[in-house]
Amino acid sequence: MNEPDDTKLMERCSNGDRQAFEMLLARYEKPVFNAAYRMLNSPDDARDVTQTVFLKVYEHLDQYDPKYRFFSWIYRITLNESINWLKKTNRLDALDGDTADTASGPEQEASNEQLSEGMQAALMTISPDYRSVIVLKHLLGCSYQEISEVLEIPEKKVKSRLYTARQLLQETLIQRGLH
Amino acid sequence: MTIDPKYFELIQADIDGEIDDAGKAELESFLADSEEGRSVYEQLETLCRSLDGMPSIDPPQHLRHVLLNQAPVKAAPQPSPGFLQRLFAGPILGYVGMFAAGVALTLTLVDSDQISRGAFDDVTGLVGTIADSEFAVPEHGTISVDKSEVAGTVTLRSTGPILIVDFDLSARQPVEIVAAYSDKTIWFNGFAQLESSGTSIAAETGAVTLNMDGKRRYAVYLNNPGIRPATIDLRFMADDQVIHEAQLSFSEAD
């Protein structure tokens, strides 16, 4: 049986159908949490941002325009909330290569991959705008066109931002002997 | 670097799977003649592979429960009482019914990863069950509140890893209660109330916030996975002022 698409689920949510909300949660909880985690480098902060994102989705169901795809709406909220969180905690500025470090939560210990940790640390050295395109492309698997939709910027800008972000990451990784 | 910038764009587009046929042909021709181009291509491809290989992390197990429970419940009409409420509606069966429903729902709360909202509709017997001395689960302490705004008791009980904070309060005006638990491994596992409405709850990391008015009886369920000693700090507020503070403690030895 086909799963209902996001738009149908949103319609049902608007009519107070909690089961539809549960289905959206099941679909988007993990990507939203992971995007927030990569933006913030903290599982605790990612959890709080994930809560805020879904609360906002639920509270603003009536503002969702079905002519846009749901994922672009929820991912935009996720990235905006992550950036707001960074502002609130005075972490908006990219960290320099020496101070950027990975969180040491249990999830991090479980992954225990040096390159992955180095990559996360490198991600924290680039600005949130650059980090956003990397997260959308490599973590959420978005195309240029989808990134353009989420960030509401032209595709050309997506390409140049992605290119610069990758260059900056590469430089950091080379400095750290990881690339 | 002497590479024409357009080739950087083509290299990136190719690695991202976003190149068209004409671009692909142009890139292949360029790479065939440019060692530097091939090196740039390899470096970028390696980087992208590493980025794609970053592991996906599972959200904390309890997050789904918190997300479901924090969503404001729309006032949906209740067409009929829940199954268990109907079944145990008779006065004689009521007492036993409360116990049976309580046990069944306690097991649901303890064992299930998915607490269905439907279960909450039929949870009215649970607080009665845990409050009854004959079937009582271990009690770890009770605090009393006696203020003009709110009065009553809050009792901490436990069953296995589940901590049950049982509120029996009467408020003369809207009161907010924050129950904060400092141990971050503890997570919000559920909520039950004797009345079908009247109390709202919001769970966040390390705390739940309850809003109530009138006479209310409800219980908050917390999962304490390590069954470790824990404290719950309670702060009662009315009109944005703290009117009472108290602490409940759990220790397995209690």
Side-chain angles (χ1 to χ4, degrees):
Chain A
M1 199 170 69
N2 287 340
E3 292 270 313
D5 66 26
D6 293 346
T7 309
K8 285 265 184 314
L9 289 175
M10 281 297 281
E11 267 172 35
R12 285 170 50 188
C13 282
S14 302
N15 294 324
D17 183 342
R18 280 190 82 91
Q19 201 190 359
F21 186 66
E22 283 189 51
M23 289 171 83
L24 279 175
L25 253 182
R27 208 169 279 180
Y28 285 99
E29 179 196 12
K30 193 168 177 176
V32 165
F33 176 81
N34 273 272
Y37 173 71
R38 294 299 175 195
M39 289 295 292
L40 303 168
N41 194 29
S42 155
D44 287 345
D45 292 349
R47 180 181 50 200
D48 289 343
V49 164
T50 305
Q51 277 186 246
T52 307
V53 169
F54 280 99
L55 193 58
K56 287 209 162 177
V57 165
Y58 204 89
E59 283 175 349
H60 301 291
L61 289 170
D62 53 338
Q63 289 172 20
Y64 170 66
D65 184 346
K67 78 178 175 206
Y68 297 105
R69 287 180 286 189
F70 176 74
F71 80 84
S72 66
W73 189 53
I74 195 169
Y75 289 166
R76 190 180 316 132
I77 296 174
T78 305
L79 295 172
N80 286 340
E81 284 305 317
S82 298
I83 291 171
N84 287 342
W85 190 272
L86 291 167
K87 277 185 197 158
K88 210 164 67 181
T89 52
N90 293 320
R91 291 188 293 146
L92 195 58
D93 292 335
L95 299 174
D96 65 46
D98 295 331
T99 50
D101 206 352
T102 51
S104 55
E107 294 87 355
Q108 200 64 33
E109 285 165 20
S111 71
N112 201 25
E113 289 174 10
Q114 196 191 0
L115 182 59
S116 169
E117 288 181 6
M119 190 62 84
Q120 178 62 39
L123 263 181
M124 300 313 290
T125 68
I126 61 176
S127 76
D129 279 349
Y130 289 133
R131 213 178 299 156
S132 297
V133 287
I134 293 289
V135 164
L136 287 166
K137 178 71 198 162
H138 292 284
L139 192 84
L140 301 174
C142 294
S143 66
Y144 293 161
Q145 197 267 326
E146 288 167 342
I147 297 172
S148 152
E149 202 178 307
V150 174
L151 298 178
E152 296 178 304
I153 57 173
E155 255 188 73
K156 196 166 174 56
K157 199 160 188 173
V158 169
K159 291 180 201 172
S160 67
R161 209 178 268 189
L162 199 50
Y163 188 79
T164 308
R166 285 164 167 167
Q167 287 296 108
L168 292 169
L169 281 177
Q170 204 159 36
E171 282 166 22
T172 304
L173 291 170
I174 288 168
Q175 276 171 14
R176 294 176 168 217
L178 289 167
H179 192 71
Chain B
M1 187 96 38
T2 55
I3 299 176
D4 183 331
K6 79 171 177 182
Y7 291 115
F8 287 121
E9 194 175 323
L10 287 174
I11 288 170
Q12 175 168 270
D14 191 40
I15 291 167
D16 289 335
E18 303 235 12
I19 199 166
D20 57 24
D21 290 345
K24 181 90 177 165
E26 190 178 355
L27 178 64
E28 280 173 359
S29 160
F30 162 72
L31 292 178
D33 295 334
S34 170
E35 194 180 329
E36 194 180 1
R38 288 194 295 275
S39 166
V40 168
Y41 191 103
E42 262 175 43
Q43 282 180 10
L44 189 60
E45 194 178 35
T46 304
L47 176 76
C48 290
R49 215 179 297 128
S50 301
L51 284 165
D52 287 336
M54 288 178 83
S56 181
I57 293 163
D58 286 328
Q61 199 186 4
H62 65 285
L63 184 59
R64 182 86 53 95
H65 296 167
V66 174
L67 295 172
L68 278 171
N69 285 296
Q70 74 171 3
V73 180
K74 294 209 174 192
Q78 295 290 324
S80 61
F83 170 73
L84 289 174
Q85 284 168 305
R86 285 201 308 276
L87 183 63
F88 301 126
I92 298 170
L93 283 175
Y95 183 77
V96 180
M98 272 188 182
F99 176 65
V103 169
L105 288 164
T106 302
L107 289 174
T108 303
L109 287 162
V110 172
D111 292 339
S112 172
D113 283 337
Q114 296 284 332
I115 300 175
S116 84
R117 295 296 306 175
F120 290 159
D121 296 338
D122 290 321
V123 83
T124 51
L126 190 51
V127 178
T129 301
I130 60 171
D132 189 280
S133 58
E134 191 174 343
F135 303 109
V137 290
E139 185 178 312
H140 303 284
T142 297
I143 62 109
S144 295
V145 190
D146 188 9
K147 297 285 170 186
S148 58
E149 299 89 346
V150 60
T153 60
V154 183
T155 302
L156 179 63
R157 297 184 171 85
S158 73
T159 171
I162 301 293
L163 299 175
I164 304 159
V165 192
D166 178 5
F167 295 80
D168 188 0
L169 298 169
S170 184
R172 280 192 181 163
Q173 63 179 86
V175 170
E176 181 178 283
I177 304 160
V178 179
Y181 30 103
S182 55
D183 187 337
K184 287 199 168 184
T185 60
I186 294 176
W187 47 274
F188 172 64
N189 203 147
F191 174 66
Q193 56 185 329
L194 274 173
E195 298 82 8
S196 58
S197 63
T199 306
S200 67
I201 182 165
E204 58 188 312
T205 308
V208 291
T209 302
L210 300 134
N211 283 280
M212 61 165 283
D213 191 7
K215 184 163 170 46
R216 300 282 178 248
R217 184 72 188 275
Y218 50 89
V220 170
Y221 301 85
L222 303 172
N223 198 314
N224 179 19
I227 317 185
R228 292 210 286 254
T231 56
I232 295 166
D233 292 310
L234 296 161
R235 194 170 72 239
F236 296 76
M237 299 179 73
D239 297 325
D240 292 328
Q241 300 289 319
V242 176
I243 52 170
H244 187 68
E245 288 183 294
Q247 189 178 70
L248 287 164
S249 300
F250 164 77
S251 160
E252 204 179 4
D254 287 347

